[in-house]
Amino acid sequence: MENRKVYYGLMEVAGMRLYVGVSECGLMFVGSDGADIGELERWAVRKKGIDLTEGQDKIAPFARELALYLSGARREFDLPLDFAGTAFQEAVWQALLRIPYGQTRTYSDIATEIGKPEAVRAVGTAIGANPILMVIPCHRVIGKNGKITGYRGGVAMKKQLLRLESAGSALPKVAF
């Protein structure tokens, strides 16, 4: 397989530090708050054929949309996404993209929506493999009992995103 160039950079916004990766086709990766470059590098190794290249200018339009979202000034993302997973993962991620801003769904809801009501655990695994935090809004998925469950970015980050969306309150100071 020919290597695919992915440009990456670090953005800092609302007290968060996130690595972002983009290809010529769109956004491919949004990292966890405070994670080091290793999180991006491990993702690239698992994807195989990814050639990481520093490119702050390439991530700038995507960083702007993320910054606007985290400041409360944007509820939807317009820039293209470039993700690939198994057919099952992609079905789950597409279902996540349909969850409206400020709303939540359960893992069971997602399993039912994709026509696999018995696959709740597999849905959880697919959600955990989501490479594009916030934009593919896996933070909007909660436990059936209403509890906040795991999140690649950490439970604190998930709670922060849910608070942002439910209260409509802006996080302070946008800079990248």
Side-chain angles (χ1 to χ4, degrees):
M1 171 192 250
E2 184 180 322
N3 276 3
R4 186 165 188 196
K5 193 167 288 226
V6 174
Y7 300 94
Y8 74 90
L10 177 65
M11 67 174 285
E12 296 184 47
V13 58
M16 292 186 185
R17 292 173 42 90
L18 309 164
Y19 277 95
V20 176
V22 303
S23 71
E24 294 296 337
C25 298
L27 182 64
M28 292 188 80
F29 181 86
V30 175
S32 305
D33 178 28
D36 64 17
I37 188 78
E39 181 186 36
L40 174 65
E41 291 169 338
R42 287 185 296 279
W43 167 81
V45 166
R46 282 191 310 274
K47 294 306 289 180
K48 298 184 176 109
I50 297 288
D51 177 21
L52 292 174
T53 303
E54 204 165 350
Q56 201 70 32
D57 58 323
K58 297 278 190 179
I59 73 154
F62 299 91
R64 271 193 226 54
E65 281 204 10
L66 284 164
L68 289 170
Y69 164 78
L70 288 167
S71 72
R74 177 178 273 286
R75 292 178 172 223
E76 295 178 5
F77 296 94
D78 295 328
L79 292 170
L81 303 180
D82 183 8
F83 60 85
T86 66
F88 184 81
Q89 286 173 328
E90 289 188 20
V92 169
W93 299 340
Q94 290 294 339
L96 298 178
L97 286 166
R98 291 188 292 273
I99 303 171
Y101 181 95
Q103 294 185 24
T104 58
R105 299 290 184 271
T106 66
Y107 295 91
S108 298
D109 293 336
I110 301 301
T112 299
E113 182 175 333
I114 65 166
K116 307 265 186 201
E118 303 300 318
V120 176
R121 286 188 184 190
V123 164
T125 300
I127 289 172
N130 170 19
I132 309 174
L133 294 183
M134 294 179 278
V135 180
I136 298 177
C138 54
H139 61 277
R140 296 178 187 156
V141 181
I142 59 173
K144 194 172 193 171
N145 59 4
K147 294 200 179 204
I148 305 296
T149 54
Y151 185 63
R152 178 170 55 92
V155 172
M157 183 179 177
K158 184 172 185 168
K159 286 179 180 178
Q160 185 177 12
L161 295 171
L162 290 172
R163 266 194 310 273
L164 168 71
E165 291 188 10
S166 67
S169 63
L171 297 173
K173 194 175 173 188
V174 174
F176 57 92

